[in-house]
Amino acid sequence: MCIPCKKGGERMVKYILRRFGEMIILLFIIFTATFFLLAAVPGNAIDQKMEKFPESVKENIVHKYGFDKPVLERYAISVKNFVIDHQFGESIVNPGVTLSSLLKDKMPISMQLSARQILFGVPIGMILGIIAACNRGKRIDYFIVISSLVITSVPTLVFALLLQKYFGGRYGLQIIGWSQPGMGFVDGLSYTLLPTLSGVFGYIVGYSRLVRTTMLDSINQEYTMTARAKGLSEARIIYKHVIRNSFIPVCTILPGTIAGVIGGSLFIERVFSIPGIGAYYTTAVSQRDIPMIMGQTMLYTLIYLVSILVSDILYTIVDPRIKFQ
Amino acid sequence: MSLETKSMKKLSIFMMLVFTILSLVGCGSSGTKDAISSSKAADEGEKVSYDKDQTLRTILFSPLSWDSTQCYDTSTSTVLSAVDAGLYRVYNDGKNGEKSVPDGAESYELSKDGLVYTFHLRSNNKWSDGVAVTAQNYADAIVRLLTPKNACPYAFFGFGIKNGEEYYNGTAKKEDLGVKVVNDTTLEITLDEPDPIFLNKISYQCFMPIRSDIIDKTGDKYGTDLSSQVFSGPFKVKVDEYVKDSKLVLVKNENYWDAANVHLERIEMTDIEEFSTQAQLFESKQLDITGSLNDYVAKWTKEAKQGAFRSDISNGTGMSYWAFNRKTGGTSGLMNNAKIRLALSLAYDREGYCNDLVKRYTPAYGIVPLVIHNGKDIYRDKVVEPLKAAKEKYNTKEKLQALFHEGLKEEGKDVDDLSKIKIEFISYGTDAASISYFDWYKQTIEKALGITLKVTALGDYYAYSDAKAAYKYDIYSSAWYADYDDPLTYLDVFQTDGGNNSMKYSNTEVDGLLKRLKGLTDQSERLKIYTQIEQILTVDDPAIIPYAYSDVRRFTHNYVKGFQTPSFGPTYEFKWAYISGK
């Protein structure tokens, strides 16, 4: 692996700093755009709640949440809260819930669930992809490709429901819930196994297909032929030349996959009643819960931007020909 | 190309194995159906026996705020009714209708003029921390509810209290409020005018007692900080087991005045959003009560008939309707004509809607649903639905069309071909069920009247609300639920310029009749007035097309006894529930 030389290191630091600068500008633009888009969309979080109330009560509630202020004033308040206090405010629909309370109470559970799926699914998927590529045209290749196709077409929700129906409540496995701190490994597993399995197929299938395709591409390259002509063993060819070169696309996808961990698995959390962050974002949007939409939008944007930066850095490590500019 | 090596072969065999196992996990099935215990309830007789394990498991009711004066939704109301003791509590055993029974109060006296309620509180009721529940706690709640800066959603429930509305609007002082603490166990509430449904209102959770010492201590965090809360009701929250929006456990409150008659030791509420998961838990008895979703209704109703569990259907307080745009007369310009509105109302196939389309609910030929009382009587037992006679009169398509033509003539817009008349209808919903309803509306109305119904379905509630406020339609769809148990909660909506009168209906006769109801306590007089108003609103000068009264469906395991589902406020009432024969 190429350890960047001093000059390269300086360049890398500069590059990263510049990217962070761009990121801050971009975040601010997205903050502003989200704010004004939300202001333009009909309805607000308290409309439905107040539908039946007398006028004086409605006015009072509108005033309490500041919806009677002009848009620009509300924007100024939001910017101030965001820039100075790093706050997005309390949920209007669900008092007491803030972005930080979600990060503290709900996100760790979602992350545990997704991390298990990734740790389990991504390596298996990659290994299967390698096996399929190495055995192109053989039965095992067909088996992997066809099974992938079948599994891809089954939605996660269906996997979750089937697993729950046929395994939940049996073999010591729980129908709903999530492991709690202090639970032993086996007890914890009785909660986590089915939700983990429900989501793992997506990763296995996705990564096996990706790796298979990119490996087949590398196998047909001239450098592979050269390596073979040199008389290297097949294992060495695969390990040293093919796999490494086929990892660039994986580097593009992987940080995104890991960033996706934060979002949790909506359907799986729903089916197994896992107290994760799952539906909070979509609910916030459908209920026009502006502080929560703003907070979560900014969070996901940040994570996404960082994951892009990480993939760009990974490129240069996997393929030293790619340089920072 | 052969790239296999020995180690790769080994690896691939291992991976195949893993893969196969995983595939099996996903697609394999043991093929056995979930067994449902068909054993009948252990005790079908009258003898009451209590199981040792008194735990009830339900879906989660997630309180939006622990500040009872902020209560406005059924989830919060359900939890607060379990952990708080109001002056009175709603009792509904499903047999004799709904009534208010003493809870925090032992009794009350009403002055002759019907204005002053003197509540006598129990001296043996304590908060969960051992402090006595006093009249001051109830009085503080009323003041907090009406303090404008708190912006309590149900503040208007206190507007009937003397100077309540004035204090809320800043034109009266706190001292002028009609709330007086005589001593620790006596509370006097004075009203502006007699209100026959005051006891009903005072049972709502926004009037639960509060502790100002705790509010002072917690400040802004009062509504969200569970750890500082104390409870006066039959149950209290087990704080260490609470996971917001996920799990709530209630345990018996030994300090409650009637603790001896509270049998449940523990209520476990778990958030289960996916209905099929609820169903599985219910079938495996890990959930004791569940609602119902269409997919399961037929199957479970059959199993309930065989005695596996109970199926309960009760009438609800909801009334679904279509309303006419009276602000502009609608895009067709025809909505100001009473005959046209009546013809449209009669063209609605109410039986078809309930029996064929949604396969539930009760067809509505009036505005006031089946559960609402007028005094001690059920209103609908005393008053025949006004649209029934009208339906008899216009019982053929020809007669209906003739009525519509009459209306058109009055408006000077008569045409030979009714299909040229276009009526615009707005609603919202983009799911398959909603779309099939809209198709059905179009087909049935067009068939019954020969006109053209243009249906516009907005994406969500907010877009619909926006479109509604723009008044570019003839008819919109909506539903109304009761705030309290009296026909007035449905009928005063139509007062000219009323806050909820978004169809902008106006009828001087209705306004006059509503005015006469103010302070009128004679129930038979009230009944007469309600009957007249309902007749005007549905037939003489139709404001809306009422078409269905809602219902409440629930499946309960046989071993759950004494469990109640009130029509107002809380969804579930746990106080009298117990487990027997699980």
Side-chain angles (χ1 to χ4, degrees):
Chain A
M1 196 119 328
C2 161
I3 297 161
C5 59
K6 205 179 163 208
K7 207 174 162 199
E10 262 173 32
R11 210 185 282 157
M12 184 161 165
V13 172
K14 256 192 187 163
Y15 174 78
I16 292 174
L17 283 177
R18 201 189 78 222
R19 287 286 294 265
F20 267 110
E22 287 170 4
M23 232 183 249
I24 289 168
I25 296 168
L26 200 57
L27 277 175
F28 192 73
I29 294 172
I30 289 171
F31 178 90
T32 307
T34 313
F35 183 91
F36 285 103
L37 279 174
L38 284 173
V41 169
N44 62 49
I46 49 177
D47 276 355
Q48 204 161 2
K49 151 175 169 178
M50 308 193 305
E51 202 183 10
K52 291 170 69 171
F53 300 164
E55 238 13 82
S56 57
V57 177
K58 278 185 195 169
E59 277 168 22
N60 210 350
I61 295 176
V62 166
H63 180 72
K64 179 182 168 187
Y65 291 106
F67 284 118
D68 52 348
K69 294 193 175 87
V71 173
L72 283 177
E73 193 182 335
R74 279 188 279 148
Y75 175 68
I77 294 171
S78 298
V79 172
K80 184 186 144 266
N81 289 343
F82 175 49
V83 176
I84 298 173
D85 309 327
H86 311 298
Q87 289 286 332
F88 295 95
E90 198 174 282
S91 160
I92 296 169
V93 180
N94 213 340
V97 174
T98 59
L99 183 65
S100 349
S101 80
L102 282 188
L103 290 179
K104 188 169 140 268
D105 302 333
K106 304 289 175 190
M107 197 163 280
I109 292 173
S110 292
M111 287 175 73
Q112 279 177 32
L113 172 61
S114 303
R116 275 161 209 261
Q117 291 167 359
I118 290 175
L119 286 177
F120 196 25
V122 172
I124 294 177
M126 285 168 59
I127 293 167
L128 285 176
I130 295 170
I131 295 170
C134 296
N135 295 286
R136 189 163 68 148
K138 292 189 185 165
R139 253 192 235 167
I140 182 165
D141 180 29
Y142 286 130
F143 177 76
I144 292 172
V145 171
I146 292 170
S147 329
S148 302
L149 271 178
V150 173
I151 293 170
T152 313
S153 45
V154 181
T156 314
L157 176 69
V158 174
F159 270 126
L161 287 172
L162 285 173
L163 283 174
Q164 186 186 51
K165 182 156 176 62
Y166 293 107
F167 293 89
R170 292 162 210 201
Y171 318 109
L173 299 171
Q174 304 290 338
I175 300 176
I176 56 164
W178 189 248
S179 69
Q180 275 152 22
M183 251 179 205
F185 177 73
V186 176
D187 283 346
L189 204 63
S190 74
Y191 286 98
T192 56
L193 186 65
L194 294 181
T196 306
L197 281 180
S198 309
V200 96
F201 296 107
Y203 293 113
I204 295 180
V205 169
Y207 277 86
S208 69
R209 288 172 61 177
L210 177 73
V211 170
R212 179 180 177 274
T213 315
T214 54
M215 270 194 58
L216 287 180
D217 192 43
S218 299
I219 284 171
N220 293 328
Q221 294 290 334
E222 286 176 353
Y223 56 75
T224 312
M225 211 187 285
T226 313
R228 193 164 289 126
K230 279 197 297 195
L232 289 182
S233 72
E234 284 300 325
R236 220 176 148 75
I237 295 171
I238 297 292
Y239 177 67
K240 278 272 179 189
H241 297 273
V242 179
I243 291 187
R244 186 151 175 190
N245 277 301
S246 56
F247 261 35
I248 294 179
V250 176
C251 289
T252 324
I253 306 283
L254 196 59
T257 303
I258 293 170
V261 164
I262 313 291
S265 324
L266 186 81
F267 294 122
I268 298 176
E269 287 183 9
R270 188 184 156 97
V271 168
F272 292 99
S273 289
I274 296 168
I277 201 161
Y280 272 93
Y281 192 50
T282 45
T283 319
V285 173
S286 68
Q287 296 179 332
R288 309 281 193 274
D289 196 351
I290 292 173
M292 299 314 286
I293 303 176
M294 292 298 292
Q296 291 181 75
T297 305
M298 295 315 285
L299 177 74
Y300 292 137
T301 310
L302 181 69
I303 292 166
Y304 180 69
L305 292 176
V306 170
S307 78
I308 293 177
L309 178 63
V310 172
S311 2
D312 288 351
I313 295 170
L314 277 180
Y315 282 158
T316 64
I317 296 173
V318 179
D319 186 350
R321 288 172 303 179
I322 301 173
K323 293 233 162 59
F324 297 114
Q325 296 225 331
Chain B
M1 192 177 351
S2 164
L3 293 168
E4 269 184 24
T5 63
K6 251 188 183 172
S7 58
M8 290 250 32
K9 242 182 200 166
K10 264 189 204 158
L11 187 65
S12 60
I13 289 168
F14 169 72
M15 290 315 305
M16 279 287 292
L17 204 67
V18 173
F19 191 68
T20 317
I21 292 168
L22 290 176
S23 313
L24 275 176
V25 169
C27 309
S29 91
S30 55
T32 50
K33 235 174 130 257
D34 288 304
I36 299 160
S37 161
S38 60
S39 65
K40 298 226 170 180
D43 65 340
E44 283 190 316
E46 289 300 307
K47 198 179 131 268
V48 175
S49 66
Y50 301 104
D51 281 13
K52 208 174 160 207
D53 181 11
Q54 288 291 329
T55 305
L56 183 75
R57 295 176 182 87
T58 75
I59 54 161
L60 179 72
F61 292 88
S62 199
L64 293 177
S65 171
W66 294 103
D67 180 351
S68 49
T69 59
Q70 288 289 343
C71 179
Y72 72 95
D73 65 299
T74 51
S75 269
T76 310
S77 167
T78 302
V79 174
L80 292 183
S81 105
V83 299
D84 284 331
L87 293 166
Y88 273 70
R89 181 176 287 271
V90 174
Y91 181 88
N92 180 350
D93 60 6
K95 290 171 201 143
N96 305 311
E98 204 142 286
K99 55 184 176 188
S100 296
V101 296
D103 195 11
E106 223 162 17
S107 62
Y108 76 95
E109 286 142 23
L110 181 58
S111 64
K112 271 195 184 142
D113 56 7
L115 291 179
V116 184
Y117 282 79
T118 309
F119 291 97
H120 299 287
L121 272 60
R122 292 174 200 281
S123 52
N124 59 341
N125 199 20
K126 285 184 189 148
W127 292 90
S128 52
D129 63 352
V131 175
V133 180
T134 64
Q136 189 64 49
N137 298 146
Y138 290 95
D140 287 347
I142 297 174
V143 174
R144 188 173 169 83
L145 178 74
L146 289 169
T147 301
K149 82 168 167 48
N150 296 330
C152 297
Y154 263 62
F156 64 96
F157 256 39
F159 284 3
I161 294 171
K162 195 178 157 204
N163 285 323
E165 190 163 7
E166 288 78 5
Y167 175 58
Y168 187 81
N169 292 329
T171 54
K173 283 190 228 141
K174 195 157 86 178
E175 298 75 56
D176 304 333
L177 268 179
V179 182
K180 188 173 153 198
V181 177
V182 179
N183 57 42
D184 275 359
T185 55
T186 314
L187 177 71
E188 208 177 87
I189 299 179
T190 310
L191 306 184
D192 273 330
E193 52 198 28
D195 182 359
I197 45 178
F198 180 67
L199 267 197
N200 203 300
K201 284 183 186 164
I202 203 93
S203 307
Y204 190 66
Q205 277 57 48
C206 63
F207 290 108
M208 297 295 117
I210 53 171
R211 282 271 292 276
S212 36
D213 57 323
I214 289 174
I215 297 174
D216 292 344
K217 215 162 58 191
T218 45
D220 287 348
K221 292 226 156 35
Y222 175 64
T224 50
D225 180 16
L226 174 61
S227 59
S228 62
Q229 293 285 331
V230 286
F231 309 98
S232 58
F235 302 95
K236 56 184 181 183
V237 178
K238 197 144 188 305
V239 179
D240 56 342
E241 289 192 56
Y242 178 66
V243 184
K244 184 157 173 58
D245 293 333
S246 178
K247 194 176 183 198
L248 175 65
V249 177
L250 306 179
V251 290
K252 187 175 167 177
N253 178 10
E254 294 298 343
N255 283 348
Y256 179 59
W257 69 272
D258 200 18
N261 292 313
V262 174
H263 299 290
L264 285 182
E265 293 289 342
R266 197 176 153 87
I267 302 166
E268 284 180 13
M269 300 180 173
T270 314
D271 177 45
I272 312 156
E273 275 187 51
E274 180 63 38
F275 194 83
S276 62
T277 308
Q278 268 191 45
Q280 202 184 350
L281 288 165
F282 179 73
E283 290 182 349
S284 61
K285 291 191 178 174
Q286 292 184 48
L287 188 68
D288 300 323
I289 305 151
T290 179
S292 62
L293 200 73
N294 284 345
D295 301 359
Y296 290 85
V297 169
K299 177 179 173 239
W300 281 358
T301 306
K302 201 171 133 202
E303 286 171 18
K305 270 186 195 147
Q306 293 162 354
F309 36 74
R310 291 197 303 271
S311 161
D312 302 314
I313 303 174
S314 52
N315 292 314
T317 69
M319 183 266 302
S320 305
Y321 63 88
W322 287 5
F324 303 107
N325 173 0
R326 298 299 302 283
K327 189 183 165 87
T328 67
T331 40
S332 66
L334 299 172
M335 292 300 110
N336 285 332
N337 188 283
K339 284 180 180 157
I340 289 178
R341 279 180 276 131
L342 180 62
L344 282 165
S345 178
L346 294 172
Y348 195 106
D349 181 6
R350 294 164 173 84
E351 311 290 329
Y353 175 82
C354 296
N355 302 332
D356 308 332
L357 191 66
V358 293
K359 299 192 173 73
R360 64 187 290 187
Y361 307 140
T362 310
Y365 291 91
I367 291 178
V368 182
L370 308 167
V371 289
I372 301 299
H373 287 82
N374 179 70
K376 290 199 160 45
D377 302 318
I378 294 275
Y379 175 81
R380 279 273 77 101
D381 289 350
K382 299 280 169 188
V383 182
V384 180
E385 293 173 291
L387 277 163
K388 281 198 166 149
K391 201 188 169 212
E392 280 303 306
K393 193 172 165 194
Y394 300 99
N395 56 0
T396 62
K397 184 176 177 176
E398 288 69 33
K399 285 180 188 165
L400 261 188
Q401 285 185 325
L403 180 67
F404 200 90
H405 276 297
E406 273 178 47
L408 287 175
K409 265 184 213 134
E410 285 175 9
E411 297 297 314
K413 292 179 177 171
D414 201 13
V415 286
D416 292 333
D417 180 7
L418 278 181
S419 69
K420 284 184 186 143
I421 299 288
K422 192 167 87 180
I423 301 290
E424 291 196 32
F425 168 82
I426 65 163
S427 186
Y428 68 99
T430 47
D431 54 307
S434 302
I435 290 165
S436 71
Y437 290 4
F438 300 146
D439 286 345
W440 185 87
Y441 295 155
K442 190 172 162 59
Q443 278 172 24
T444 49
I445 295 285
E446 290 185 351
K447 193 175 155 213
L449 264 183
I451 57 158
T452 303
L453 186 76
K454 185 191 166 214
V455 177
T456 306
L458 279 309
D460 65 2
Y461 170 82
Y462 301 97
Y464 165 72
S465 243
D466 224 35
K468 214 171 98 180
Y471 291 97
K472 287 186 183 139
Y473 52 84
D474 292 300
I475 300 174
Y476 68 81
S477 72
S478 192
W480 189 257
Y481 290 83
D483 284 325
Y484 47 86
D485 189 5
D486 191 274
L488 189 64
T489 188
Y490 297 88
L491 302 177
D492 69 357
V493 174
F494 303 98
Q495 193 165 3
T496 303
D497 294 329
N500 291 306
N501 185 354
S502 46
M503 69 283 283
K504 301 292 171 204
Y505 179 82
S506 177
N507 180 301
T508 45
E509 206 182 338
V510 170
D511 290 345
L513 288 166
L514 285 170
K515 214 173 249 171
R516 274 179 55 200
L517 285 166
K518 291 237 170 196
L520 182 68
T521 48
D522 181 346
Q523 293 294 358
S524 63
E525 276 303 307
R526 292 182 76 93
L527 184 74
K528 276 185 207 156
I529 296 176
Y530 289 150
T531 311
Q532 285 180 55
I533 297 178
E534 202 183 22
Q535 170 74 23
I536 299 170
L537 292 175
T538 53
V539 180
D540 300 348
D541 181 22
I544 58 170
I545 305 179
Y547 62 88
Y549 304 130
S550 71
D551 62 19
V552 181
R553 288 181 183 219
R554 192 177 75 242
F555 291 93
T556 315
H557 278 297
N558 293 319
Y559 52 79
V560 179
K561 315 271 186 187
F563 179 73
Q564 301 188 356
T565 49
S567 304
F568 301 91
T571 309
Y572 291 168
E573 171 57 66
F574 299 105
K575 180 181 166 179
W576 295 281
Y578 59 94
I579 306 289
S580 175
K582 185 171 180 177

